């Protein structure tokens, strides 16, 4: 479209330059002189006569854009003139590019949105005719239409591939927004693997705030079709959500029971008759000593029997809460230093690292369905074993497992179990005498030991949400345990005080009379909050 605007030629150059305060140079596009405000006289009347004469002498004609031409970005128009084109000038080459095909043909290509001035010199080289055009390059709306059409077809195919989800694709500027609801986290990951150019990605990738993925995921968008038109590159922003609770609490119960039993039977005797005597002392090994003595006959028998039973019980119940797709760890225990010697010879050095023990839990939940959860869990329970120490460093008795299971909310699964029995029997005896029936125990020592271990690890996932202010329990473990006052401690021998009496031995010896109620008896049993705490206090109802 070529629109002809009113041609403005100023033969009186001095009048034009004075009106613009001499601020325009030759070739300035589409600038109209505006008289300054609060000025009643003509600017030409106030001009210096010398300036007028100089301008009239140097400048002949100043022309503005005489016609307007519109282009579309990445499109072109062929201009065929009636006279030969001598030369062309473009104010901003980044907006319009001119390609000449002959003396009277030129193609104008829109490179970027904007406006610029195109000046053509045509005709005779001695007296050329000048034509100034204002070229406006507009955005290509066809690209946006193609993006909406092609991503609309991709949206239709995604909804057919995943009928249990609802997906919407919105191309906005240089971004592709994925919005809607997915059936579960696994299906959301599959959807994003189709939309994203790279594809794949673990849980939490391509998921928005509703997916527990933290920040919005960004990445290059895939082409809707392999042979589709070349669309501008787009970045994916996922607003895909999974309905339902995304916070999972895992309850783990580790129960272990150890039983041990030991039985020991041994005997020792001494026998003498006339000039002959014999004795047997049973210990770890049997032995028989024969000596001859001259005394009256005698017989002494010593029987040693021992039975020992032991039981050890371990019960640990760690609970941990995290978002779907996010790992969480928990440790209740401690650490001890383990020195390590590095180097050889005289260049040895000792480095120390710390080894943890206690109850540890690490798990990553993934919500697969509204009530189905995939757990990658690794519970560990360890205790110090002082009898298994090396170089002063304690040993550890550890129970650990690592597995991945699928559970529904509230279901319990025993992910690990152990039943172990160990039995050990030992017998030491005097040859022949210790093998005799009924009386062989008199010349033998027997020991029997048996150990039984039962271990089970159970997990239970549950969806949780935060407690409202009126649902928070006012009393937490240990909040009602107080220090006993002097009467309870010294006279009654109690090691816990009354829950309503906050006795503080660090200050009561000095401030006892001030802190307690004056009419209470004994005075130490009274509350001290009114003296030591300012403002409202106490548990909420």
């Amino acid at each position: 479209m070529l629109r002809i605007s009113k041609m403005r030629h100023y033969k009186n150059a001095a009048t034009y330059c004075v009106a613009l305060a001499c601020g325009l140079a030759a070739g300035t596009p589409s600038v109209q002189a505006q008289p300054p405000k609060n000025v009643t006289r003509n600017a030409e009347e106030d001009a210096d006569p010398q300036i007028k004469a100089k301008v009239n002498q140097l400048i002949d004609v100043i022309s503005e854009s005489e016609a307007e031409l519109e282009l579309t970005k990445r499109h072109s128009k062929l201009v065929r003139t009636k006279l030969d084109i001598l030369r062309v000038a473009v104010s901003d080459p980044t907006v319009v590019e001119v390609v000449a095909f002959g003396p009277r043909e030129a193609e104008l290509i829109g490179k970027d949105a904007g406006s610029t001035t195109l000046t053509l010199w045509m005709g005779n080289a001695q007296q050329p005719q000048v034509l100034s055009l204002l070229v406006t390059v507009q955005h290509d709306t066809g690209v946006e239409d193609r993006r909406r059409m092609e991503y609309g077809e991709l949206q239709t195919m995604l909804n057919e591939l995943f009928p249990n989800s609802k997906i919407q694709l919105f191309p906005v500027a240089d971004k592709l927004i994925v919005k809607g609801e997915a059936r579960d986290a696994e299906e959301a990951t599959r959807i994003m693997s189709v939309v994203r150019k790279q594809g794949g990605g673990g849980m939490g990738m391509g998921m928005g705030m509703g997916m527990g993925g933290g920040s919005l995921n960004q990445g290059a968008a895939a082409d809707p079709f392999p042979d589709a038109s070349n669309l501008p590159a787009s970045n994916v922003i996922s607003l895909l959500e999974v309905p339902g609770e995304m916070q999972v609490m895992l309850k783990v119960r580790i129960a272990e029971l150890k039983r041990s039993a030991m039985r020991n039977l041994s005997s020792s005797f001494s026998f003498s008759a006339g000039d002959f005597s014999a004795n047997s002392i049973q210990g770890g090994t049997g032995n028989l000593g024969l000596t001859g003595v001259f005394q009256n006959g005698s017989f002494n028998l010593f029987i040693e029997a021992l039975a020992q039973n032991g039981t050890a019980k371990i019960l640990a119940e760690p609970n941990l809460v995290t978002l779907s797709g996010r790992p969480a760890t928990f440790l209740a225990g401690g650490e001890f230093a383990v020195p390590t010697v590095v180097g050889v010879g005289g260049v040895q050095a000792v480095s120390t690292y710390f080894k943890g023990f206690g109850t540890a839990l690490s798990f990553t939940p993934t919500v697969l369905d509204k009530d189905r959860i995939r757990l990658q869990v690794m519970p560990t329970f360890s205790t110090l074993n002082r009898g298994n120490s090396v170089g002063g460093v304690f040993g550890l008795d550890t129970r650990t497992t690592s597995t991945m299971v699928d559970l529904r909310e509230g279901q319990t699964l025993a992910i690990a179990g152990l039943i172990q029995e160990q039995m050990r029997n030992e017998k030491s005896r005097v040859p022949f005498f210790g093998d005799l029936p009924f009386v062989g125990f008199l010349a033998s020592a027997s020991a029997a030991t048996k150990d039984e271990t039962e271990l089970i690890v159970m997990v239970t996932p549950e969806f949780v949400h935060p407690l409202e202010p009126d649902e928070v329990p006012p009393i937490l473990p240990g909040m009602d345990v107080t220090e006993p006052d002097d009467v309870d401690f010294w006279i009654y021998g109690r090691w816990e005080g009354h829950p309503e009496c906050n006795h503080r031995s660090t200050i009561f010896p000095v401030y006892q009379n001030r802190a307690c109620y004056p009419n209470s008896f004994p005075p130490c049993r009274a509350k001290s909050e009114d003296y030591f705490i300012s403002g409202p206090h106490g548990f909420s109802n």
Side-chain angles (χ1 to χ4, degrees), residues 338-345 347-353:
V338 179
T340 303
V341 179
V342 295
V344 294
V347 293
Q348 291 183 350
V350 178
S351 63
T352 303
Y353 72 94

Side-chain angles (χ1 to χ4, degrees), residues 12-292:
N12 190 349
T15 302
Y16 182 75
C17 289
V18 171
L20 296 182
C22 297
L24 296 179
T28 304
S30 300
V31 179
Q32 299 181 1
Q34 298 293 337
K37 296 182 179 179
N38 301 326
V39 177
T40 59
R41 295 182 301 173
N42 193 341
E44 183 181 0
E45 299 177 359
D46 297 336
D48 190 348
Q50 295 181 357
I51 297 179
K52 292 182 181 181
K54 184 176 180 180
V55 172
N56 289 328
Q57 183 182 0
L58 299 178
I59 299 179
D60 182 19
V61 176
I62 298 178
S63 62
E64 293 182 345
S65 300
E66 300 164 348
E68 296 181 1
L69 180 64
E70 293 183 354
L71 292 175
T72 303
K73 186 178 178 180
R74 289 186 294 272
H75 291 257
S76 65
K77 289 185 177 180
L78 182 64
V79 177
R80 183 175 295 137
T81 62
K82 296 180 179 181
L83 301 176
D84 293 343
I85 300 175
L86 301 178
R87 61 180 182 270
V88 179
V90 181
S91 299
D92 189 355
T94 62
V95 176
V96 174
E97 181 181 358
V98 180
V99 179
F101 295 106
R104 295 190 180 186
E105 288 184 349
E107 186 175 14
L108 306 183
I109 303 174
K111 298 178 66 177
D112 198 0
S115 298
T116 187
T117 302
L118 174 65
T119 305
L120 303 173
W121 285 265
M122 296 178 294
N124 189 0
Q126 302 299 329
Q127 293 181 347
Q129 298 186 27
V130 180
L131 177 62
S132 181
L133 300 177
L134 177 62
V135 183
T136 302
V137 179
Q138 300 177 349
H139 289 284
D140 187 5
T141 57
V143 175
E144 298 299 326
D145 295 338
R146 289 198 305 274
R147 290 182 66 196
R148 285 192 290 267
M149 179 187 66
E150 294 180 4
Y151 281 115
E153 295 181 5
L154 178 60
Q155 170 184 314
T156 302
M157 289 188 292
L158 287 175
N159 286 313
E160 292 178 358
L161 289 173
F162 306 98
N164 296 321
S165 301
K166 183 175 180 60
I167 306 105
Q168 294 176 311
L169 301 181
F170 296 97
V172 178
D174 61 341
K175 299 176 177 61
L176 177 63
I177 298 177
V178 184
K179 197 175 186 336
E181 290 186 355
R183 179 176 179 268
D184 50 49
E186 187 175 3
E187 191 160 300
T189 304
R190 295 174 181 172
I191 293 171
M192 294 309 302
S193 66
V194 176
V195 176
R196 294 176 69 243
K197 192 170 185 178
Q198 290 80 6
M203 299 309 298
M205 298 297 294
M207 289 176 274
M209 296 297 292
M211 292 298 300
S215 62
L216 298 178
N217 179 65
Q218 295 186 1
D223 295 332
F225 306 100
D227 57 347
S229 58
N230 294 328
L231 298 177
S234 302
N235 291 327
V236 176
I237 294 183
S238 175
L239 301 181
L240 203 59
E241 296 183 353
V242 173
E245 292 287 347
M246 291 293 106
Q247 294 188 121
V248 181
M249 180 181 69
L250 182 64
K251 296 181 178 180
V252 180
R253 284 177 288 179
I254 303 174
E256 182 184 43
L257 180 62
K258 287 186 176 181
R259 295 187 179 94
S260 61
M262 188 263 295
R263 292 176 295 174
N264 189 7
L265 178 62
S266 62
S267 63
S268 61
F269 66 90
S270 62
F271 172 74
S272 63
D275 296 337
F276 176 79
S277 69
N279 61 73
S280 171
I281 302 176
Q282 296 294 336
T285 59
N287 59 80
L288 178 62
L290 300 176
T291 59

Side-chain angles (χ1 to χ4, degrees), residues 237-489:
I237 294 183
S238 175
L239 301 181
L240 203 59
E241 296 183 353
V242 173
E245 292 287 347
M246 291 293 106
Q247 294 188 121
V248 181
M249 180 181 69
L250 182 64
K251 296 181 178 180
V252 180
R253 284 177 288 179
I254 303 174
E256 182 184 43
L257 180 62
K258 287 186 176 181
R259 295 187 179 94
S260 61
M262 188 263 295
R263 292 176 295 174
N264 189 7
L265 178 62
S266 62
S267 63
S268 61
F269 66 90
S270 62
F271 172 74
S272 63
D275 296 337
F276 176 79
S277 69
N279 61 73
S280 171
I281 302 176
Q282 296 294 336
T285 59
N287 59 80
L288 178 62
L290 300 176
T291 59
V293 295
F294 298 92
Q295 58 183 9
N296 295 328
S298 62
F299 178 79
N300 299 319
L301 177 63
F302 301 92
I303 299 177
E304 180 182 1
L306 177 64
Q308 181 178 354
N309 293 79
T311 302
K313 173 185 175 183
I314 296 176
L315 179 62
E317 297 186 15
N319 298 336
L320 191 58
V321 179
T322 186
L323 293 174
S324 174
R326 290 304 180 101
T329 58
F330 170 82
L331 173 63
E335 294 182 342
F336 60 91
V338 179
T340 303
V341 179
V342 295
V344 294
V347 293
Q348 291 183 350
V350 178
S351 63
T352 303
Y353 72 94
F354 288 85
K355 181 72 174 179
F357 68 94
T359 301
L361 174 62
S362 175
F363 87 108
T364 302
T366 302
V367 180
L368 302 179
D369 204 345
K370 293 184 179 180
D371 62 343
R372 192 162 64 95
I373 306 169
R374 175 165 295 171
L375 294 175
Q376 184 177 0
V377 58
M378 186 176 69
T380 302
F381 183 81
S382 58
T383 56
L384 292 176
N385 186 350
R386 302 179 184 273
N388 192 22
S389 60
V390 177
V393 180
F394 300 136
L396 289 178
D397 293 335
T398 305
R399 303 92 177 164
T400 182
T401 181
S402 178
T403 184
M404 181 181 293
V405 294
D406 286 352
L407 291 173
R408 296 198 178 273
E409 181 190 8
Q411 290 183 336
T412 301
L413 182 64
I415 61 173
L418 171 67
I419 296 179
Q420 182 179 2
E421 291 187 2
Q422 294 181 351
M423 185 174 63
R424 183 174 63 255
N425 295 329
E426 295 181 358
K427 184 176 182 181
S428 58
R429 61 195 182 279
V430 176
F432 181 75
F433 294 101
D435 295 330
L436 295 177
F438 302 108
V439 295
F441 72 92
L442 298 177
S444 64
S446 301
T449 304
K450 185 174 183 179
D451 297 324
E452 296 179 356
T453 301
E454 297 181 24
L455 173 66
I456 188 171
V457 180
M458 296 185 295
V459 294
T460 304
E462 292 183 1
F463 290 121
V464 295
H465 58 83
L467 295 175
E468 298 298 333
D470 56 345
E471 297 176 345
V472 179
I475 302 294
L476 299 179
M479 294 180 62
D480 57 348
V481 177
T482 60
E483 183 183 3
D485 55 27
D486 293 339
V487 176
D488 285 337
F489 184 74

